């Protein structure tokens, strides 16, 4: 009896050890190795002059806010499977404003080779978000639907990612209903009284598929928005890319709903891992960033007033200069060691000039000032294709002309993005960063300085109050909700016209300083963002914590890079240097110097 009892105890002990080992194994294996998310959006741009579609702006702001660094690329990258491995998220939207309509660059046209690269991207752990008709046509224009009758995993490799087959149906009288989270539920699309021929999911093959929304007409229903786990990755398929385009510009969802969807996708990505950490958008634990910039216009006393203000506030502004700047002002700017960048030489309209004149104007300004500029602002903030192409060839780091406005509509971005340009079926993604200034500048409010012969003090005060209200509202409602960047756009001639007109800028600086803001220059923002692009952060989990491995190009270093932690580690150790842990709301911010080969251990 005692032998049987002893045998039972041994068997029970072995069973419990096996269960413990399996549990430990699952903990270790669950998200054992992954990267902090880097997002790739494939686009050819919407207007060819550096602008991107409104839905891309929302994506840039929503994802960067949550620590998923966004880059833009043309569809050529889909040919490079090795390059795709640098990213974790791939967004392929097929709406017209996101791509041209011809077969060369529209994402509805895809080779089997490109489709296979996308499939492998998901299979190896990537997250794919795709719109309607993705890869429907072969690259030679052949419609796979006409050829095969429907899209299946056998004739359309993306069917394996999504776990479905698609067939074209008339969805007249169908509506779309769904529930993704508390902000995304209910009626997503109303019934149409007209014929709508579109691709519909007619068969589901995957056991890992979730219906996030359905087409519904009485008792008839089909999956509409789906999420599918495919090997190590996740794929999302929409019946229309316009779900991810703002409703105030012809889309189906509001900007807040689109933002909520991207937050849901990030949550699904993080749910595969034990420890939630994310990249803070700005260094040194800052929540927001602020820069001041001025165009070349004004008298010596007005420049002096601006310089005195920024010297007293210990804020560094960037001045975009041209050939109109007189010698006295030039001497003032140089003696004060002000940051100078280019506004072009002759204040030409770059929208109306071709390549030779555009490039010549850029080079003439460099020669006139004896400076190899790295930043540019187009005269009258009217950027042009040939000017952007010339800036790219001359290795400019950033330009700052496309005004951001999240209050009235979506234009520009409160985060940097690398600029796409296109012209006559020529498409290119440049390395130039767009650093979007405020949509309305000081001239918008103080134009009476030029237009009125008698600009009375009471009118000046009223205009200053309106300008101040605009700036503070922009900061509060366009920047802070996204943890973004604000770039003040002014001219010494207007904002520094006198002590009354400058008060709006003083109030803005006071407010910005009250918040947890990185007050810096456009040059530093561009350098920081380019360094972020070059870095990857690999996470290795274990039952006791995580190790973070930093990879970067040679000699790239970010001081006080910040990670958001949602649980306080018991112990933190670094391969090199010191760290700082700050408590913020319900979480923590970890500050450390990031460079190639750096390693951080977090013990829980």
């Amino acid at each position: 009896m005692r032998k049987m009892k002893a045998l039972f105890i041994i068997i029970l002990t072995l069973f419990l050890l096996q269960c413990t080992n399996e549990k430990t194994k699952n903990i270790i294996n669950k998200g054992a190795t992954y990267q902090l998310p880097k997002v790739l959006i494939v686009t050819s741009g919407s207007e060819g002059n550096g602008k991107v579609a409104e839905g891309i702006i929302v994506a840039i702001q929503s994802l960067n806010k949550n620590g998923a660094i966004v880059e833009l690329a043309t569809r050529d990258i889909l040919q490079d499977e090795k390059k795709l491995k640098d990213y974790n998220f791939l967004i392929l939207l097929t709406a017209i404003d996101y791509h041209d309509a011809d077969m060369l660059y529209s994402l509805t046209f895809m080779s089997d080779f490109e489709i296979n690269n996308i499939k492998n991207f998901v299979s190896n752990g990537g997250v794919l978000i795709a719109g309607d008709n993705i890869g429907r046509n072969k690259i030679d224009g052949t419609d796979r639907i006409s050829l095969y009758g429907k899209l299946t995993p056998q004739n359309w490799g993306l069917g394996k990612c999504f776990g479905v087959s698609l067939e074209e149906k008339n969805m007249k009288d169908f509506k779309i209903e769904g529930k993704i989270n508390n902000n995304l539920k209910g009626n997503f699309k109303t019934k149409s009284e007209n014929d709508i021929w579109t691709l519909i999911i007619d068969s589901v093959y995957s056991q890992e598929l979730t219906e996030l929304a359905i087409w519904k007409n009485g008792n008839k229903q089909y999956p509409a928005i789906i999420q599918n786990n495919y090997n190590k990755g996740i794929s999302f398929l929409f019946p229309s890319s316009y779900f991810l385009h703002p409703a105030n510009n012809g889309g189906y969802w509001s900007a807040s709903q689109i933002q909520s969807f991207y937050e849901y996708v990030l949550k699904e990505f993080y749910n595969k891992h034990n420890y939630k950490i994310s990249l803070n958008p700005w260094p040194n634990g800052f929540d927001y960033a602020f820069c001041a910039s001025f165009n070349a216009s004004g008298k010596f006393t007005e420049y002096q007033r601006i310089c005195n203000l920024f010297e007293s506030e210990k804020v560094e502004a960037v001045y975009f200069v041209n050939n109109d700047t007189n010698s006295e002002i030039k001497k003032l700017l140089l003696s004060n060691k002000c940051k100078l960048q280019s506004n072009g030489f002759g204040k030409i309209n770059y929208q109306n000039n071709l390549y030779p004149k555009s490039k010549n104007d850029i080079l003439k300004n460099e020669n006139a000032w004896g400076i190899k500029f790295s930043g540019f602002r187009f005269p009258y903030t009217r950027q042009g294709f040939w000017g952007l192409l010339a800036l790219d060839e001359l290795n400019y780091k950033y330009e700052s002309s496309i005004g951001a406005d999240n209050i009235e509509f979506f234009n520009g971005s409160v985060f940097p993005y690398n600029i796409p340009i296109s012209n006559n079926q020529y498409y290119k993604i440049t390395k130039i960063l767009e650093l979007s200034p405020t949509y309305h500048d000081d001239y918008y409010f103080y134009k009476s300085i030029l237009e009125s012969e008698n600009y009375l003090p009471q009118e000046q005060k009223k205009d200053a109050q309106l300008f101040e209200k605009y700036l503070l509202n922009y900061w509060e409602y366009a920047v802070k909700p996204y943890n973004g960047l604000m770039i003040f756009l002014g001219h010494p001639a207007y904002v520094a016209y006198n002590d009354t007109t400058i008060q709006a800028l003083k109030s803005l600086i006071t407010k910005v300083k009250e918040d947890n803001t990185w007050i810096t220059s456009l040059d530093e923002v561009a350098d920081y963002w380019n360094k972020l692009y070059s870095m990857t952060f690999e996470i290795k989990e274990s039952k006791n914590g995580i190790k973070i491995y930093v990879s970067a190009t040679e000699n790239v270093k970010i001081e006080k890079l910040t990670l958001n932690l949602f649980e306080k580690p018991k112990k933190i150790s670094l391969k090199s240097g010191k760290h700082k842990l700050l408590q913020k709301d319900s979480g923590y911010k970890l500050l450390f110097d990031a460079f190639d080969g750096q390693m951080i251990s977090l013990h829980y």
Side-chain angles (χ1 to χ4, degrees), residues 373-577:
F373 296 114
S374 59
F376 195 86
R377 175 169 287 156
F378 286 94
Y380 320 108
T381 60
R382 295 174 184 171
Q383 68 283 3
F385 168 80
W386 294 109
L388 285 166
L389 182 61
L391 292 175
D392 184 55
E393 291 177 349
L394 294 169
N395 297 315
Y396 275 64
K397 291 182 181 179
Y398 71 89
E399 91 88 31
S400 184
S401 299
I402 303 174
D405 187 346
N406 293 338
I407 298 175
E408 300 172 71
F409 52 90
F410 283 93
N411 189 81
S413 169
V414 297
F415 279 97
Y417 65 86
N418 55 309
I419 293 176
I421 58 175
S422 60
N423 182 52
N424 195 25
Q425 297 190 353
Y426 171 85
Y427 304 97
K428 180 180 176 64
I429 292 288
T430 71
K431 292 183 179 180
I432 303 170
L433 290 177
E434 176 58 42
L435 304 183
S436 298
T438 54
Y439 189 77
H440 293 310
D441 63 0
D442 51 357
Y443 172 73
Y444 181 85
F445 295 90
Y446 295 138
K447 61 184 67 175
S448 293
I449 291 173
L450 282 184
E451 297 175 356
S452 175
E453 294 183 2
N454 189 20
Y455 191 26
L456 298 175
Q458 57 266 34
E459 293 174 331
Q460 297 171 21
K461 185 176 181 181
K462 180 182 177 182
D463 291 343
Q465 289 172 341
L466 288 173
F467 189 32
E468 178 180 329
K469 184 178 181 180
Y470 168 76
L471 293 173
L472 296 180
N473 282 343
Y474 183 96
W475 175 251
E476 200 68 35
Y477 301 111
V479 176
K480 288 179 66 175
Y482 292 99
N483 297 96
L485 162 70
M486 179 176 182
I487 299 172
F488 173 85
L489 170 55
H491 306 72
Y494 306 121
V495 72
Y497 179 70
N498 58 28
D499 290 337
T500 299
T501 58
I502 205 171
Q503 185 58 47
L505 178 55
K506 287 183 177 180
S507 297
L508 174 63
I509 293 173
T510 299
K511 174 58 181 172
V512 164
K513 284 186 172 182
E514 290 173 357
D515 294 322
N516 185 33
T517 307
W518 182 29
I519 301 175
T520 183
S521 70
L522 279 77
D523 302 64
E524 289 182 342
V525 168
D527 286 341
Y528 170 73
W529 215 253
N530 279 321
K531 288 176 181 178
L532 275 185
Y533 278 166
S534 75
M535 287 189 171
T536 58
F537 303 88
E538 185 180 43
I539 314 297
K540 290 189 177 180
E541 294 190 349
S542 70
K543 65 177 180 179
N544 296 321
I546 61 176
K547 291 184 185 296
I548 305 169
Y549 297 88
V550 181
S551 299
T553 53
E554 190 177 1
N555 298 324
V556 169
K557 180 180 180 180
I558 297 179
E559 295 182 353
K560 297 181 181 178
L561 183 133
T562 304
L563 296 179
N564 296 316
L565 311 179
F566 296 83
E567 183 179 350
K568 184 178 182 180
K570 294 178 182 177
K571 181 183 176 183
I572 302 172
S573 58
L574 275 70
K575 180 180 178 180
S576 177

Side-chain angles (χ1 to χ4, degrees), residues 228-263:
N228 185 53
N229 294 333
Y230 175 62
N231 292 339
K232 296 180 181 179
I234 311 172
S235 58
F236 296 84
L237 180 62
F238 282 82
S240 171
S241 292
Y242 285 103
F243 277 99
L244 298 177
H245 186 81
N248 64 347
N249 196 44
Y252 295 138
W253 280 345
S254 67
S256 64
Q257 287 177 305
I258 297 170
Q259 180 177 345
S260 184
F261 170 74
Y262 286 122
E263 288 172 352

Side-chain angles (χ1 to χ4, degrees), residues 354-371:
L354 297 179
Y355 178 80
K357 189 171 183 179
S358 296
K359 190 168 186 178
N360 182 62
D361 188 72
I362 295 168
L363 290 174
K364 281 179 69 176
N365 204 43
E366 291 186 0
N367 292 328
W369 284 84
I371 298 173

Side-chain angles (χ1 to χ4, degrees), residues 108-258:
T108 61
F109 295 84
M110 279 191 182
S111 66
D112 291 337
F113 181 74
E114 291 171 302
I115 287 176
N116 191 61
N117 286 344
I118 297 170
K119 178 173 68 68
N120 290 340
F121 169 83
V122 179
S123 181
N124 292 328
V127 177
L128 170 65
I129 301 170
D132 51 316
N133 291 314
I134 184 79
R136 168 177 177 157
N137 302 300
K138 292 190 174 186
I139 204 69
D140 64 0
T142 304
D143 186 345
R144 287 182 168 96
I145 289 287
S146 299
L147 194 62
Y148 303 113
K150 64 170 65 177
L151 300 181
T152 69
Q154 287 70 41
N155 60 48
W156 176 62
L158 293 178
K160 295 180 180 178
C161 295
F162 301 122
V164 301
S165 65
L166 302 177
E167 187 175 8
E168 197 164 43
K169 293 181 182 293
N170 186 357
M171 303 310 288
K172 178 183 178 181
D173 295 327
F174 278 82
K175 60 182 178 179
I176 297 180
E177 295 179 346
K179 180 175 181 181
I180 299 175
N181 54 31
N182 288 334
N183 196 36
L184 285 170
K185 59 183 178 180
N187 187 15
F188 288 166
K189 184 181 181 302
T190 58
K191 291 182 180 180
S192 175
E193 298 179 358
N194 301 316
D195 290 344
I196 302 179
W197 288 93
T198 188
L199 292 181
I200 297 300
I201 296 169
D202 73 329
S203 299
V204 174
Y205 303 105
S206 172
Q207 301 297 316
E208 300 288 331
L209 185 143
T210 302
E211 293 181 1
L212 301 179
I214 59 171
W215 291 95
K216 190 173 182 181
N217 180 12
N219 294 326
K220 293 181 180 179
Q221 61 183 49
Y222 300 92
I225 303 173
I226 60 163
Q227 171 183 342
N228 185 53
N229 294 333
Y230 175 62
N231 292 339
K232 296 180 181 179
I234 311 172
S235 58
F236 296 84
L237 180 62
F238 282 82
S240 171
S241 292
Y242 285 103
F243 277 99
L244 298 177
H245 186 81
N248 64 347
N249 196 44
Y252 295 138
W253 280 345
S254 67
S256 64
Q257 287 177 305
I258 297 170

